[in-house]
Amino acid sequence: MAASTDLDLAFSADPDLADPDLEVAPLLSDADYWQTRLSAWLNQLAPELPAALQAPAYSLGLSLVADAEIAELNADWREKEGPTDVLAFAAQDEATDGAPPMPASGEAEPLELGDIVISVETAARQAPEHGHDLEQELLFLASHGLLHLLGWDHPDEASLAAMLARQKELVKVPAEP
């Protein structure tokens, strides 16, 4: 098995989302759960990444928010009204276009990938439409955001289908502690 990918995860969750009715309250505050999942996915994706995104360690942010916060971000960054399920703010867009990544110092600094923001409320509403429980939907959205941070996009139906298929593979990967 390949070496594990180091991940410096900045995790935050809106404390108002820790509603016991959501059935995944522990998931909404468990940074270790997300650390393990995202690290496993990065480890699996490593062989597929372009040279500019190959790194022994990564850094990214994951925020679980309410509809109001993601709607504000959606309006500010995409000029679209209302909440959306997931937003990804890639720090390495230029790296995936062939430009070299930020220069490394003497010590290996984690490669900053960017931030993923997920609306838990939107995820809860759309999970039944996708045949998921809320945990599966959050994992699916987190994997979607991660792929965007790594340069994946879906400007047409074929690329969307490829991205969705890759997400399904990632979500199936068991998280190793």
Side-chain angles (χ1 to χ4, degrees):
M1 178 157 182
S4 179
T5 302
D6 286 335
L7 175 63
D8 179 14
L9 177 65
F11 175 78
S12 67
D14 183 332
D16 294 336
L17 294 172
D19 178 347
D21 293 339
L22 288 177
E23 298 176 5
V24 291
L27 184 74
L28 300 179
S29 60
D30 189 352
D32 290 339
Y33 174 88
W34 292 106
Q35 174 85 29
T36 301
R37 278 297 184 159
L38 290 161
S39 293
W41 294 341
L42 282 165
N43 196 47
Q44 182 187 359
L45 290 164
E48 304 167 36
L49 297 178
L53 292 177
Q54 295 281 338
Y58 297 94
S59 175
L60 67 89
L62 173 64
S63 298
L64 303 179
V65 301
D67 278 350
E69 186 174 341
I70 208 162
E72 208 173 293
L73 291 168
N74 204 23
D76 290 349
W77 291 95
R78 297 177 64 221
E79 299 180 358
K80 294 189 177 192
E81 270 193 56
T84 188
D85 51 6
V86 61
L87 292 172
F89 300 98
Q92 297 296 321
D93 276 341
E94 63 280 353
T96 59
D97 292 335
M102 294 180 281
S105 62
E107 224 175 272
E109 290 290 319
L111 180 64
E112 176 59 43
L113 294 178
D115 295 292
I116 302 166
V117 182
I118 299 172
S119 171
V120 175
E121 292 171 321
T122 297
R125 281 193 308 276
Q126 71 186 21
E129 299 167 22
H130 298 145
H132 295 159
D133 62 22
L134 182 54
E135 180 178 4
Q136 291 171 309
E137 187 69 11
L138 290 171
L139 288 170
F140 203 69
L141 294 172
S143 67
H144 187 84
L146 180 63
L147 289 175
H148 274 302
L149 296 186
L150 295 172
W152 286 66
D153 203 2
H154 46 83
D156 54 47
E157 288 300 317
S159 52
L160 177 61
M163 192 169 178
L164 293 174
R166 193 63 181 102
Q167 284 175 241
K168 286 178 186 171
E169 289 176 37
L170 288 174
V171 172
K172 285 182 194 173
V173 173
E176 294 180 22

